[in-house]
Amino acid sequence: MKGLRCLVLIASLIICAALLFGLLPAIDLDVTLPFAADGFLLKSSALAVTLRQIGQWLPLIVFLACLLALATPLADPRRRSGLDARCLAAILLTFALGPGLLVNVVLKEHWHRPRPVQVSEFGGTGAFKPWWDRSGGCRTNCSFASGEVAAATAAAGIVVLVPAAYAASAVILGIVFTLIVAYLRLAFGGHFLSDIVFAVLLTQFVAASFMTLFHSRRWRYGREGILEQDIRQLAFRLHARLPWLQRHPRWLVRPARSALDTPSFSPTLGSVTVVGWERADEPAVIYGR
């Protein structure tokens, strides 16, 4: 999801959610009541606990996989991941600034809203607070907003990397995964409905912002291939300078203006030209694509 219209839509949904849960805070209590009636017994279910652990680890796996794919040229500049570097960067930044900074650092640590299991209505000792009231009794790692749901929403962003033929199925799987994580947070008494809704919408807004930015032709990295080109250029320079590579056939980097007259593939990357594995007793060879 990208574009100004998408951002306006998500911002409008955030405003609507703020008004709905602000004017009718009892919605949170009503939605949580069925789970609290049995003392949040689902959190003692082995299956439910396993599903929650999957929901915690899968976003981390997605983040690391995207990071590895984006950094592939650093290990071997000749290799390509086959994925759009702009989308990979947008997903990584969404993780870092959405679930990472906004939700888990800014909100959860400074918005002192008690969790459902902590409020007196459901057997705790604290007072229930609507989403906008920061004066609750929780001191750290509080209820607003849900970090696990935010991470699941960010992980679902990998649908932008899926081929068009499978995009619909990927979107459905992403939605189902996020809903399962959200349901378990409600069932475990970890979050109110408003915590979950805001986690999804805020993360989606961050994701849409980065996707829009990385597809805007108004700046350098909004153009296709530029980001990957710069990463590969950095990789060539690193391979030319890392000391341990001196013991092996190494990359030879020299000014573009002194490149061979008719290379088999244009080796110019910014201000450097890459000429391949060169030994003292071997002629220089231009890398193929």
Side-chain angles (χ1 to χ4, degrees):
M1 296 177 66
K2 60 179 182 292
L4 181 59
R5 291 182 179 178
C6 178
L7 291 173
V8 171
L9 173 61
I10 299 175
S12 300
L13 291 175
I14 293 175
I15 294 173
C16 290
L19 292 174
L20 176 64
F21 290 104
L23 296 174
L24 300 173
I27 293 177
D28 280 329
L29 296 174
D30 293 339
V31 172
T32 304
L33 183 59
F35 301 105
D38 57 6
F40 300 105
L41 287 180
L42 194 60
K43 63 183 178 181
S44 62
S45 166
L47 176 60
V49 171
T50 301
L51 289 175
R52 185 192 175 191
Q53 291 175 340
I54 294 174
Q56 291 174 323
W57 282 100
L58 190 57
L60 177 60
I61 294 173
V62 170
F63 176 84
L64 293 177
C66 290
L67 182 62
L68 179 62
L70 188 64
T72 293
L74 294 179
D76 184 353
R78 296 170 298 175
R79 296 184 60 185
R80 298 177 183 272
S81 66
L83 302 173
D84 191 334
R86 297 173 300 172
C87 293
L88 291 171
I91 293 172
L92 292 172
L93 288 171
T94 297
F95 269 106
L97 298 184
L101 179 62
L102 177 59
V103 174
N104 282 298
V105 175
V106 175
L107 293 179
K108 293 180 71 66
E109 296 301 322
H110 298 88
W111 217 276
H112 305 294
R113 186 186 199 189
R115 296 176 182 270
V117 295
Q118 297 173 328
V119 302
S120 58
E121 287 84 351
F122 305 125
T125 58
F128 169 77
K129 299 292 182 179
W131 76 266
W132 48 266
D133 192 342
R134 297 177 56 245
S135 63
C138 177
R139 295 295 94 192
T140 184
N141 191 26
C142 301
S143 187
F144 188 80
S146 174
E148 291 180 31
V149 174
T153 304
I158 61 172
V159 299
V160 300
L161 301 173
V162 177
Y166 308 100
S169 299
V171 169
I172 293 174
L173 287 176
I175 293 174
V176 170
F177 172 67
T178 304
L179 288 176
I180 291 175
V181 173
Y183 178 82
L184 291 175
R185 300 314 292 135
L186 285 171
F188 281 30
H191 290 286
F192 293 105
L193 178 62
S194 57
D195 301 327
I196 291 169
V197 171
F198 277 106
V200 171
L201 292 178
L202 291 174
T203 304
Q204 283 286 4
F205 186 83
V206 173
S209 298
F210 281 121
M211 285 298 295
T212 301
L213 179 64
F214 277 102
H215 286 80
S216 172
R217 301 186 65 85
R218 295 182 179 181
W219 79 309
R220 175 178 173 80
Y221 293 125
R223 289 172 285 173
E224 185 176 1
I226 299 297
L227 178 58
E228 183 177 7
Q229 172 182 296
D230 283 359
I231 294 175
R232 287 164 59 83
Q233 177 180 341
L234 173 63
F236 286 134
R237 289 174 174 172
L238 289 176
H239 277 251
R241 290 172 171 79
L242 287 178
W244 67 270
L245 288 176
Q246 302 302 320
R247 299 193 299 270
H248 306 284
R250 62 185 178 83
W251 303 94
L252 177 65
V253 180
R254 58 190 176 89
R257 59 178 175 274
S258 61
L260 298 182
D261 293 335
T262 56
S264 58
F265 134 71
S266 175
T268 302
L269 291 174
S271 60
V272 298
T273 294
V274 180
V275 181
W277 303 102
E278 185 182 74
R279 297 174 183 270
D281 56 346
E282 296 178 358
V285 179
I286 298 293
Y287 275 118
R289 188 175 291 274

